[in-house]
Amino acid sequence: MSISRRKILALVGGGVIVAAGGGLGYAVTRLPKTASLPWQMAGKYQDPRMHALSWALLAPNPHNRQPWMANLAEPGVVTLYADPDRLLPKTDPFNRQITIGLGCFLELLRMAAAENGHRLETTIFPQGSSPAGLDRRPVARVVFTPDTTVARDPLFAQVQLRRSNKEPFDMSRTVDPAALARIGAVVANGARFGGTVDATEVATWRELTHNALQIEIETPRTFQESIDLFRIGHREVDANPDGIDFTGPLFEALHVAGQFTRAAAADPTSSAYKAGLDAVFANTDTAMGHVWLVTAGNSRADQIATGADWLRVNLAVTSEGLGFQPLSQALQEFPEMADHYATVHKRLAPTGGTVQMLSRIGFGPQTTASPRWPLETRIA
């Protein structure tokens, strides 16, 4: 996670200064070496399937879990599975959000294949699925066919620029309402797009997303799920390039000095915990607009289709020069979130349906790409 100097200094809590001389100075300036390499390797494979997969693994996904595994045993075919070790059982008990992430993956796979002159025929859940959760049955069977006439998607140009921006947005810069129509126009897989940049409505959504995030943090088991996925410092990120990454000189220094650890972040009495709250609420509270997707149904196929549209929305937001960060805590299906879940659905789906995704938009600073596992580790 690229976090501003203001936030990191707040984590020190009490004005503690970390001396970074000699070997320590060298250590804290180190950045991850291998975690960003998949972004550089995208599109550099000869096999059409590997070529497309190298792009697809850059897709957005919950908590950067990268829950995909691809089987290439069948010539010309990618069989996609959900990795059972990469689910989020506390905050995503029915694997709805993970399934949406797999839908993002499949849409980016399609885009990348088209760029390389291949058409895809995709069968979703060829052996069936369960509403209770994902299992070891395949998520999709994807057949690659050479086709030089296949249409390329202009949104593909934004893939390397796409980010989930976890910094406060500039509240002095408003979002052009016309941008919402352009963003919504890219939705093509059945979801209903909605959005607002109206100041009064945005204030309402700021409050709701703030409160929902607070519930997730103050519910021990759901917050611990995030804490367990903290990757603090370049060594941890290179060793496990998934989850929630904290890198950069100041984070390295705080970690080496023992001032920023998973234990401290989980302790409600610690300065790290309190400053962390200020940091994440600075994001919800600086939203300059919100966008969302609603579907009529909530089947696994609906969730995969939502993922395709969510990727498209994300890329369209990027093309507008805007920052984008999902704030879907209020859509999580654990008991403590029930009231906020009901409120969101009453407002955004009053006649029925499922609100699948919710995000803030606005103008934010440039941030780095999220770490990724090498493609070879995602091949079954």
Side-chain angles (χ1 to χ4, degrees), residues 109-122:
L109 187 78
R110 182 197 66 78
M111 288 184 180
E115 287 289 313
N116 199 31
H118 284 75
R119 173 173 44 83
L120 302 188
E121 181 181 342
T122 301

Side-chain angles (χ1 to χ4, degrees), residues 43 59 103 135 149 166 266 273-274 291 300 306 324 356 376 379:
D135 51 35
T149 68
K166 303 176 183 70
Y273 177 91
K274 295 171 184 176
V291 295
R300 291 296 175 199
T306 295
F324 181 95
Q356 298 284 3
E376 290 74 14
I379 304 300

Side-chain angles (χ1 to χ4, degrees), residues 169 175 180 197 287-291 317 322-324 359-363:
F169 290 160
V175 177
L180 293 178
V197 294
M288 296 305 290
H290 295 84
V291 295
V317 170
L322 293 167
F324 181 95
S359 176
R360 70 179 182 124
I361 58 174
F363 292 94

Side-chain angles (χ1 to χ4, degrees), residues 49-50 52-62 66-72 78-81 98-113 120 122 139-140 142 144 303-304 306-311 372 375 378-379:
R49 297 172 299 171
M50 292 288 283
L53 286 166
S54 70
W55 285 105
L57 60 79
L58 306 182
N61 59 101
Q66 302 166 53
W68 35 71
M69 288 297 293
N71 187 301
L72 305 183
V78 170
T79 304
L80 179 66
Y81 293 85
I98 288 288
T99 305
I100 290 171
L102 292 165
C104 293
F105 181 95
L106 287 168
E107 177 67 358
L108 191 44
L109 187 78
R110 182 197 66 78
M111 288 184 180
L120 302 188
T122 301
V139 171
V142 185
F144 281 64
Q303 293 160 13
I304 291 289
T306 295
D309 280 334
W310 194 240
L311 173 75
R372 285 293 186 273
L375 174 57
R378 302 291 84 208
I379 304 300

Side-chain angles (χ1 to χ4, degrees), residues 17 20 62 67 82 84 94 96-97 135 143 147 210 231 251 262 271-272 274 302 314 341 361:
I17 299 174
F94 305 113
R96 182 187 61 83
Q97 293 183 91
D135 51 35
V143 180
D147 183 355
H210 176 120
R231 313 297 188 219
F251 270 128
R262 276 175 282 275
S271 59
K274 295 171 184 176
D302 291 325
N314 198 331
Y341 184 94
I361 58 174

Side-chain angles (χ1 to χ4, degrees), residues 124-182:
I124 301 299
F125 295 101
Q127 297 178 16
S129 63
S130 168
L134 296 170
D135 51 35
R136 295 188 180 276
R137 288 176 290 182
V139 171
R141 181 177 182 272
V142 185
V143 180
F144 281 64
T145 302
D147 183 355
T148 57
T149 68
V150 66
R152 296 183 177 186
D153 199 313
L155 289 173
F156 187 77
Q158 305 299 324
V159 172
Q160 285 279 5
L161 302 175
R162 185 204 63 78
R163 302 285 185 269
S164 292
N165 196 317
K166 303 176 183 70
E167 292 285 352
F169 290 160
D170 185 347
M171 297 183 72
S172 70
R173 300 183 65 185
T174 58
V175 177
D176 181 0
L180 293 178
R182 294 190 294 268

Side-chain angles (χ1 to χ4, degrees), residues 77 91-92 105 117 125 151 165 205 207 210 225 240 248 253 271 276 336 353:
V77 175
T91 55
D92 186 29
F105 181 95
F125 295 101
N165 196 317
W205 287 111
E207 181 180 10
H210 176 120
E225 188 169 71
N240 290 286
S271 59
E336 292 84 349

Side-chain angles (χ1 to χ4, degrees), residues 206-223:
R206 285 177 185 163
E207 181 180 10
L208 188 146
T209 55
H210 176 120
N211 293 340
L213 179 57
Q214 187 165 359
I215 288 173
E216 182 187 277
I217 292 171
E218 293 180 352
T219 303
R221 71 183 185 285
T222 58
F223 188 46

